[in-house]
Amino acid sequence: MIFDVAVIGGGHAGIEAANGAANIGAKTILLTMSVDRIGEMSCNPSIGGQAKGQLVREIDLLGGIMGRAADFSAIQYRVLNRRKGPAVQALRSQCDKILYKNFAQAALLKNPLITVFQAEAVSFIKKDGVFEIHTRNGNSFLSRTIVITSGTFLNGTVHIGNNSFSSGRIGEPSSVGLTESLTDQGHTKIRLKTGTPVRILGSSIDFSKMETQPGEIDYTPFSIYTSGRLTHQLPCFLTRTTEETRIVVTENLKFSPLYGYHKSIEGTGPRYCPSIEDKFVKFPERESHQIFVEPEGWSKHEYYPNGISTSLPYDVQIKLLHSIPGFENAVPTRPAYAIEYDAFDPKDLSLSLESHFTPGIFLAGQVNGTSGYEEAAAQGLVAGINAGLNALKTREPFILDRTESYIGVMISDITSQGIDEPYRMFTSRAEFRLSVRDNNVPERLLEKASVFGLIDKKTYCTQKRKIEEIASLIEKMTNTFVYPDAPTNDNMLSLAQPVLNKPCSISTLLKRPSIGREELFKICGFLSDVDEETWARAEVNIKYSGFIEREQEEIERIRELSSLVIPCDFKYESISGLSNELKQKLIKKRPATVSEALLIPGITPAAISILILYLNKGRK
């Protein structure tokens, strides 16, 4: 049997890759070293957060599993940056990690187009347009395309103090062989590092010495398929390191594989999720560091101390732990460790995440140098869809633009600029973050999801009606006026608002920062029977309409530049007015379009203007 798509790896990227391929009708096999560990939350037991929540919502609308799994397994929700503007607000959920992986496994195993098989893929070759994948146990599988989502398993090495050993995740073997298959094809290997903290027995923690972090019920779930709200939620807790913690860490740096005499870690770690050693070494002015204490499930047996990942020896880990308020008598259930693994330069991939060297090979997740469940899942979705399209040859590749999605921003970033450390998604990476905010994903991606068959007709119609309802509400508020009569101005004064001197539309009133739905009703009795989510989406569009319009104008300009194709043999060296440094950058990157050239570090708007001038000359 020849499969259309073979996915190697059962982590968050692999799940979405297999599901995405199956969603467009591709016969798919997922090869994993352990069926039981599919969907494992190897690090923190949470989904979403700043910019990551936006990724989850985009994955969900495009037919992915992550949003539904997060809602199914949620034990707490919080809306981050609620006091800030809508461009940076995002949902984050704590999850029961057992329920999460159970949901993910069930979603794959019940899909008739997906075959799940437990085996370690060790190599592949391409013959007559078909890949032959060889496994450690001697099986071979044939597939028209391959999606590699190996996570931290490729030549993985775990470090605990001076003790280092081969492992893909502690307690599981690393994967050996695939690295050579990829480097033989021309891909450039890089070595990266990440880490995780100890897990702690819940009954050994003194929560009275910590600040309680309750959940929130005023939120919109990740998935458009989720109804209702999680009313009963488990709290998280907040504590901090102490001066004793700092002393324990700094006095034992000599035993650290990062800083010690026998420095054994060479891979680059994530800048934005540093180990506790890095925090005390690189930020000596900080008196203490926050630790978020997160339950790993409804049972509350184990807790995850977010903020103290380390690779120090286990006996030092105990001392470190006991120096923190609430952890004085804490009992670890699993040790902290660092892990090094092979990844590959994502500049060797196209925007569809297909290899430049071997058509039909796609890479997604940590193997591309990214960090985080959400980043991996988003890449897996895109790679799986494109692998399926490649195999079925039904339509053009599925490409998400950076002007329409956070997924597009991430893939554009890593494939055009590469990475020099594990890449993490932030709102600051999106130039048009008000236009690609958390609460307008259907407006941005619904039509594309429908065109590619990633959403069923019933759901499409429901979401389309919601968008039309929002537009109708905005139109109603734009065309409904309030007049400066005595009762209205008395109401304005009661809300500490300046009185009206002339007729004013409801939408103009709503643009005032301190006026919302309740205030409008008090002022003029304006009432709408729409639900809170619909109102919130309409309110953002009105309050920030000026900013959104300016962003949309800039987006249109960028899209025009995207259509300016740069010939692959374009002679950059012939452009006068560009420095030799900029010429060399353009020659090295060979951008396909002017918009890609804009993403190259150091390329200025003035340089782009000169490039466009020469391109137009060539056309004439």
Side-chain angles (χ1 to χ4, degrees):
M1 177 181 181
I2 300 176
F3 290 94
D4 296 314
V5 179
V7 177
I8 298 175
H12 300 281
I15 290 166
E16 300 298 351
N19 182 70
N23 279 350
I24 60 166
K27 290 184 294 184
T28 303
I29 183 168
L30 185 145
L31 299 173
T32 175
M33 295 173 74
S34 171
V35 173
D36 295 333
R37 303 300 289 269
I38 290 173
E40 187 78 24
M41 303 185 92
S42 307
C43 202
N44 58 313
S46 68
I47 295 292
Q50 187 187 48
K52 294 168 175 280
Q54 285 89 327
L55 287 175
V56 179
R57 293 194 190 280
E58 291 172 5
I59 291 166
D60 181 69
L61 192 82
L62 296 169
I65 290 173
M66 178 169 271
R68 286 178 287 147
D71 287 337
F72 176 80
S73 60
I75 58 179
Q76 189 199 85
Y77 286 97
R78 289 179 71 89
V79 178
L80 306 188
N81 296 325
R82 193 185 284 277
R83 296 181 182 178
K84 299 182 180 179
V88 295
Q89 291 177 4
L91 184 66
R92 183 176 190 266
S93 70
Q94 293 298 136
C95 298
D96 184 305
K97 64 181 186 179
I98 303 299
L99 292 179
Y100 184 94
K101 74 174 183 178
N102 286 350
F103 184 97
Q105 289 173 19
L108 296 181
L109 291 167
K110 72 182 181 183
N111 191 317
L113 286 175
I114 298 175
T115 298
V116 177
F117 192 79
Q118 184 165 297
E120 178 191 351
V122 294
S123 65
F124 60 84
I125 57 173
K126 192 173 186 179
K127 295 179 181 178
D128 302 322
V130 175
F131 291 96
E132 185 175 320
I133 304 165
H134 304 288
T135 67
R136 182 76 61 197
N137 59 12
N139 295 107
S140 294
F141 298 91
L142 300 179
S143 180
R144 293 182 177 86
T145 60
I146 299 176
V147 183
I148 297 175
T149 65
S150 50
T152 63
F153 278 74
L154 289 186
N155 294 320
T157 303
V158 162
H159 300 270
I160 304 176
N162 293 331
N163 185 24
S164 300
F165 52 92
S166 175
S167 186
R169 187 164 46 204
I170 199 162
E172 299 178 68
S174 64
S175 176
V176 179
L178 278 181
T179 291
E180 289 69 31
S181 288
L182 286 167
T183 53
D184 287 347
Q185 303 293 324
H187 287 271
T188 303
K189 186 188 82 170
I190 52 181
R191 195 76 171 154
L192 297 176
K193 164 253 175 187
T194 188
T196 191
V198 298
R199 306 304 193 271
I200 305 172
L201 186 65
S203 59
S204 69
I205 300 173
D206 185 353
F207 295 108
S208 67
K209 296 184 178 180
M210 301 178 181
E211 177 186 332
T212 302
Q213 302 272 298
E216 302 174 4
I217 59 172
D218 181 16
Y219 67 90
T220 300
F222 281 120
S223 179
I224 57 176
Y225 302 98
T226 301
S227 58
R229 299 292 183 274
L230 184 68
T231 53
H232 171 59
Q233 301 184 24
L234 293 182
C236 294
F237 301 88
L238 177 64
T239 186
R240 303 188 73 93
T241 62
T242 62
E243 175 62 15
E244 184 185 350
T245 314
R246 186 192 66 78
I247 292 170
V248 169
V249 171
T250 55
E251 287 187 349
N252 287 281
L253 285 176
K254 56 183 176 289
F255 302 117
S256 167
L258 280 171
Y259 296 101
Y261 302 136
H262 305 286
K263 181 179 177 182
S264 52
I265 293 180
E266 298 178 358
T268 305
R271 182 193 316 181
Y272 301 103
C273 189
S275 66
I276 193 66
E277 300 99 292
D278 277 332
K279 288 180 181 179
F280 283 119
V281 170
K282 296 178 179 178
F283 308 101
E285 72 283 358
R286 297 284 297 273
E287 292 185 1
S288 66
H289 298 275
Q290 288 188 138
I291 303 165
F292 291 94
V293 185
E294 306 168 357
E296 294 208 322
W298 287 108
S299 69
K300 299 182 284 186
H301 291 325
E302 286 185 297
Y303 278 75
Y304 178 94
N306 194 339
I308 53 170
S309 70
T310 181
S311 56
L312 287 165
Y314 181 66
D315 60 330
V316 179
Q317 294 179 25
I318 298 292
K319 294 176 183 176
L320 184 163
L321 200 60
H322 290 172
S323 71
I324 297 167
F327 291 157
E328 292 88 350
N329 298 301
V331 176
T333 56
R334 308 172 197 225
Y337 62 91
I339 184 167
E340 279 187 293
Y341 55 95
D342 290 346
F344 295 88
D345 188 347
K347 295 198 302 296
D348 294 337
L349 306 175
S350 68
L351 289 172
S352 67
L353 297 179
E354 185 174 18
S355 167
H356 287 319
F357 306 116
T358 309
I361 293 289
F362 297 79
L363 277 72
Q366 283 178 287
V367 73
N368 286 339
T370 58
S371 170
Y373 304 150
E374 302 82 1
E375 290 89 340
Q379 292 170 71
L381 176 78
V382 171
I385 291 170
N386 280 309
L389 293 172
N390 180 300
L392 299 175
K393 303 190 184 305
T394 51
R395 60 182 312 120
E396 71 280 1
F398 178 75
I399 305 293
L400 291 170
D401 193 86
R402 67 185 297 119
T403 62
E404 67 182 350
S405 67
Y406 270 85
I407 298 176
V409 170
M410 173 181 59
I411 294 177
S412 173
D413 281 352
I414 64 174
T415 58
S416 65
Q417 300 178 37
I419 59 104
D420 52 17
E421 63 186 27
Y423 177 100
R424 182 178 179 179
M425 196 71 242
F426 290 105
T427 53
S428 59
R429 297 189 189 275
E431 303 93 321
F432 309 110
R433 49 190 171 273
L434 192 53
S435 297
V436 293
R437 61 188 181 273
D438 178 78
N439 74 348
N440 72 338
V441 176
E443 286 89 331
R444 296 188 271 121
L445 298 177
L446 184 63
E447 295 305 322
K448 182 164 282 190
S450 176
V451 166
F452 280 87
L454 304 174
I455 193 169
D456 63 86
K457 187 173 181 180
K458 179 181 178 181
T459 306
Y460 171 82
C461 291
T462 300
Q463 293 299 314
K464 190 73 173 176
R465 282 195 299 271
K466 175 78 76 173
I467 293 171
E468 291 168 352
E469 188 178 11
I470 292 166
S472 176
L473 178 58
I474 292 172
E475 182 180 11
K476 180 180 179 181
M477 288 193 282
T478 302
N479 296 323
T480 302
F481 283 80
V482 180
Y483 296 90
D485 52 32
T488 298
N489 279 335
D490 285 344
N491 292 335
M492 294 289 286
L493 289 171
S494 71
L495 294 171
Q497 292 288 327
V499 298
L500 300 178
N501 297 315
K502 58 181 180 180
C504 172
S505 69
I506 294 291
S507 60
T508 300
L509 268 181
L510 190 57
K511 288 180 181 180
R512 297 189 183 190
S514 54
I515 290 183
R517 190 175 192 173
E518 292 182 9
E519 287 74 21
L520 283 177
F521 181 73
K522 291 177 182 177
I523 290 168
C524 59
F526 182 82
L527 189 63
S528 174
D529 59 358
V530 300
D531 58 69
E532 284 299 325
E533 181 192 351
T534 302
W535 177 272
R537 286 163 66 176
E539 184 176 5
V540 169
N541 274 307
I542 289 173
K543 280 190 181 295
Y544 296 89
S545 57
F547 299 101
I548 293 171
E549 286 169 10
R550 285 198 289 274
E551 280 197 356
Q552 289 302 313
E553 290 172 2
E554 183 64 14
I555 286 171
E556 288 306 312
R557 188 182 76 84
I558 293 295
R559 285 178 177 164
E560 288 176 11
L561 292 179
S562 296
S563 64
L564 288 176
V565 177
I566 304 174
C568 58
D569 59 350
F570 187 76
K571 306 295 184 184
Y572 293 103
E573 57 270 19
S574 66
I575 301 179
S576 60
L578 285 186
S579 68
N580 287 331
E581 180 187 358
L582 293 184
K583 289 178 184 177
Q584 288 303 314
K585 286 186 175 184
L586 289 163
I587 291 169
K588 182 180 179 181
K589 298 286 186 180
R590 286 284 169 193
T593 64
V594 172
S595 61
E596 284 188 24
L598 267 169
L599 299 174
I600 299 173
I603 299 296
T604 62
I608 292 296
S609 297
I610 294 170
L611 176 59
I612 292 172
L613 178 65
Y614 272 78
L615 285 170
N616 289 334
K617 278 184 180 180
R619 288 184 176 85
K620 290 177 182 177

